[in-house]
């Protein structure tokens, strides 16, 4: 949704041509439809605030277009003009507010309504106190131009690489913003008394660009909204709903990328498999709700200090996989032992009772024999179960990557 729908239908007096009448009716119906679409999106997307802001903005636009069709409802032209411009400013403010809410941008103040109030005061001044046709006509499209261009910046700078839908929405915002800027310039050229020649030029340009810009911007923002929903659904599909880390599917997707990168660049990749020791006892002694809390507690400890490129996934009931790109086997062993120590030291409180938790670990690194990351994960999983059988609360290394050191201990090699 663009955030500065051109509202210059307000320049028309009660007598309007049939062509203008049908354009306004079409824009009113389109606004009502878009308002309904964004309201449904708000209800089905977990009540995201930006979808509601855009829904209300299009509702305000619907009312604005309706009043443009019914100027005879007002006692004077000034009341008519101030009413439709009030709705126009509401549309502009709610539109850009929606973009800020979607991107959590920090570029603009959190409350834009005082600025809208100042602009409305200028409209009142140029309409009632010191009438100026050019100024009162130019103020709203100028504000629309600014808000549209700011919205484009907000959309395109939201992430390092904008999504295709964001590029499309941002481009439409820029083009519509430019057209509104041109319209504002033409409106201002009317002068204080309203030059008929420039008024005709302004109206013709405005109604030539308005429908296309209005609909293109609205539809591309719907496309952006659909893209958001698609990404959210994909995230839900690859995330474990209890702990928030990746599930098996997510591990498969991101793990395959880490494996392919390792084969392409030669960077090492290590895998750490871990699970909670005696997890069934926690469930039996304290209940399944406590068991869920234990999984969340455990996953948070694994997440702490994790690099952005590291991959953490829950692959079973209480079993987790940690993929460490760029990490050699020896370093992975250190990381696993540090996690083991931290988990042992961090007690979990259950109804005021401290519950001790330990975990076992198995470690492996990608070797020349591995055909995919699953091969590495399988070897790390075997090492995990050896650590379980050996007494738990320890770290074991994949047997194919062990050798006997001179002091009789096992040390790692990468085969």
């Amino acid at each position: 949704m663009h955030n500065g729908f051109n509202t210059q239908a307000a320049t028309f007096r009660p007598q309007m041509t049939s062509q203008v009448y049908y354009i306004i009716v079409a824009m009113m119906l389109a606004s009502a439809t878009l308002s309904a679409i964004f309201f449904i999106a708000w209800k089905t997307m977990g009540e995201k605030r930006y979808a509601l802001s855009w829904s209300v903005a299009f509702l305000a636009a619907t009312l604005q277009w309706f009043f443009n069709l019914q100027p005879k409802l007002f006692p004077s032209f000034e009341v008519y003009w101030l009413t439709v411009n009030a709705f126009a400013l509401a549309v502009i403010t709610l539109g850009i507010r929606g973009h800020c809410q979607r991107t959590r941008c920090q570029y603009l103040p959190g409350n834009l309504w005082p600025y809208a109030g100042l602009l409305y005061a200028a409209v009142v001044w140029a309409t009632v106190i010191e009438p100026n046709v050019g100024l009162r006509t130019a103020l709203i499209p100028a504000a629309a131009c600014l808000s549209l261009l700011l919205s484009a910046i907000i959309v395109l700078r939201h992430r390092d690489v904008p999504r295709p839908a964001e590029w499309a929405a941002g481009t439409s915002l820029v083009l519509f913003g430019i057209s509104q800027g041109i319209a504002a310039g033409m409106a201002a050229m009317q002068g204080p008394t309203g030059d008929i020649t420039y008024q005709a030029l302004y109206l013709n340009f405005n109604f030539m660009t308005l429908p296309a810009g209005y609909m293109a911007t609205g539809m591309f923002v719907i496309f952006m909204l659909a893209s958001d929903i698609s990404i959210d659904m994909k995230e839900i599909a690859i995330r474990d709903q209890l702990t928030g880390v990746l599930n098996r599917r997510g591990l498969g997707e991101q793990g395959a990328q880490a494996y392919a990168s390792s084969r392409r660049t030669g960077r090492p990749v290590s895998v750490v498999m871990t699970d909670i020791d005696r997890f069934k006892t926690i469930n039996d002694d304290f209940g399944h709700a406590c068991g869920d809390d234990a999984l969340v507690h455990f996953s948070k400890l694994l997440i702490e200090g994790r690099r952005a490129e590291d991959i953490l996934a829950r692959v079973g009931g209480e079993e987790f996989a940690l993929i460490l790109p760029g990490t050699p086997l020896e370093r992975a062993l250190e990381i696993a032992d540090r996690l083991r120590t931290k988990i042992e030291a961090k007690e979990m409180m259950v109804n005021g009772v401290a519950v001790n938790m330990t975990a076992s670990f198995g470690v492996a690194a990608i070797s020349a024999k591995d055909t995919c990351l699953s091969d590495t994960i399988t070897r790390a999983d075997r090492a995990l179960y050896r650590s379980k059988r050996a007494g738990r609360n320890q770290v074991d290394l994949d047997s194919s990557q062990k050798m006997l050191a001179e002091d009789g201990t096992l040390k790692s090699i990468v085969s």
Side-chain angles (χ1 to χ4, degrees):
M1 194 212 81
H2 69 287
N3 55 357
F5 313 144
N6 190 294
T7 57
Q8 307 321 308
T11 59
F12 288 96
R13 301 301 199 270
Q15 297 79 24
M16 63 177 69
T17 66
S18 60
Q19 293 91 335
V20 170
Y21 178 86
Y22 290 129
I23 289 174
I24 295 176
V25 169
M27 302 312 293
M28 181 180 69
L29 295 176
S31 298
T33 301
L34 291 169
S35 177
I37 289 173
F38 282 109
F39 181 79
I40 293 170
W42 173 67
K43 292 296 290 183
T44 57
M45 287 179 61
E47 299 190 348
K48 298 289 181 66
R49 291 188 300 164
Y50 59 88
L52 181 60
S53 291
W54 290 335
S55 176
V56 176
F58 275 111
L59 179 60
T62 303
L63 294 173
Q64 175 206 333
W65 292 115
F66 171 77
F67 288 130
N68 278 326
L69 288 173
Q70 302 295 332
K72 293 182 179 180
L73 294 176
F74 300 91
S76 67
F77 169 77
E78 287 75 18
V79 175
Y80 158 72
W81 180 263
L82 293 177
T83 300
V84 294
N85 277 274
F87 279 106
L89 281 172
V91 173
I92 292 172
T93 306
L94 287 166
I96 195 169
R97 181 187 180 194
H99 287 295
C100 286
Q101 289 171 332
R102 176 181 175 271
T103 60
R104 298 182 177 88
C105 75
Q106 303 298 318
Y107 310 126
L108 298 176
N111 186 2
L112 295 172
W113 292 109
Y115 300 92
L118 290 174
L119 185 58
Y120 190 67
V123 174
V124 173
W125 180 274
T127 303
V128 178
I129 300 175
E130 193 169 330
N132 186 311
V133 175
L135 180 59
R136 77 184 182 203
T137 309
L139 282 171
I140 296 302
C145 170
L146 178 61
S147 62
L148 286 161
L149 296 179
L150 285 174
S151 293
I153 293 172
I154 292 169
V155 168
L156 296 177
R157 295 190 64 181
H158 173 42
R159 61 187 91 249
D160 292 336
V161 180
R163 299 169 185 162
E166 290 171 332
W167 275 116
T171 301
S172 68
L173 287 165
V174 168
L175 293 176
F176 198 21
I178 291 172
S179 73
Q180 289 289 271
I182 295 172
M186 292 179 175
M189 291 169 68
Q190 296 178 67
T193 58
D195 184 279
I196 296 177
T197 302
Y198 287 114
Q199 184 184 66
L201 181 64
Y202 161 71
L203 293 176
N204 288 333
F205 176 82
N206 201 40
F207 274 87
M208 179 178 65
T209 58
L210 175 62
Y214 189 91
M215 292 306 301
T217 305
M219 295 310 295
F220 275 126
V221 174
I222 289 176
F223 180 36
M224 187 172 67
L225 199 64
S227 176
D228 289 347
I229 294 173
S230 175
I231 296 298
D232 288 347
M233 293 304 293
K234 182 178 180 181
E235 278 294 304
I236 291 173
I238 65 173
R239 293 280 171 185
D240 174 58
Q241 297 303 296
L242 176 63
T243 62
V245 302
L246 295 173
N247 56 22
R248 279 187 174 274
R249 179 176 176 179
L251 176 64
E253 293 180 5
Q254 296 193 19
Q257 295 174 9
Y259 177 83
S261 176
S262 174
R263 288 306 191 210
R264 186 172 59 254
T265 64
R267 290 182 74 208
V269 174
S270 294
V271 175
V272 177
M273 298 296 294
T274 179
D275 74 3
I276 302 171
D277 294 332
R278 298 184 174 87
F279 180 70
K280 186 176 183 299
T281 301
I282 296 176
N283 271 330
D284 292 344
D285 291 349
F286 299 98
H288 289 285
C290 178
D292 288 345
D293 292 340
L295 290 169
V296 173
H297 173 77
F298 186 60
S299 66
K300 287 181 178 177
L301 294 178
L302 295 176
I303 290 170
E304 287 178 0
R306 184 170 59 98
R307 301 172 303 171
E309 63 180 328
D310 294 341
I311 302 167
L312 177 63
R314 182 185 177 194
V315 296
E318 69 272 22
E319 188 173 8
F320 291 75
L322 182 60
I323 314 300
L324 305 171
T327 304
L329 190 59
E330 292 81 358
R331 175 64 179 153
L333 284 167
E334 295 173 4
I335 291 171
D337 195 57
R338 188 170 68 246
L339 287 170
R340 182 196 64 78
T341 303
K342 179 169 67 172
I343 291 164
E344 185 178 22
K346 296 277 189 178
E347 296 176 330
M348 184 181 71
M349 300 302 296
V350 179
N351 298 325
V353 178
V355 177
N356 292 316
M357 181 186 297
T358 62
S360 301
F361 294 80
V363 183
I366 289 179
S367 71
K369 297 178 182 178
D370 292 338
T371 59
C372 62
L373 192 65
S374 294
D375 294 340
T376 317
I377 292 173
T378 298
R379 290 188 288 104
D381 207 35
R382 290 174 186 156
L384 166 63
Y385 282 96
R386 277 197 304 274
S387 72
K388 289 280 193 184
R389 290 193 296 270
R392 299 182 175 84
N393 192 26
Q394 57 186 280
V395 178
D396 204 331
L397 179 65
D398 168 37
S399 59
S400 68
Q401 295 177 317
K402 288 181 179 179
M403 61 177 292
L404 191 64
E406 292 182 0
D407 61 0
T409 62
L410 291 174
K411 63 181 292 186
S412 65
I413 61 172
V414 179
S415 57

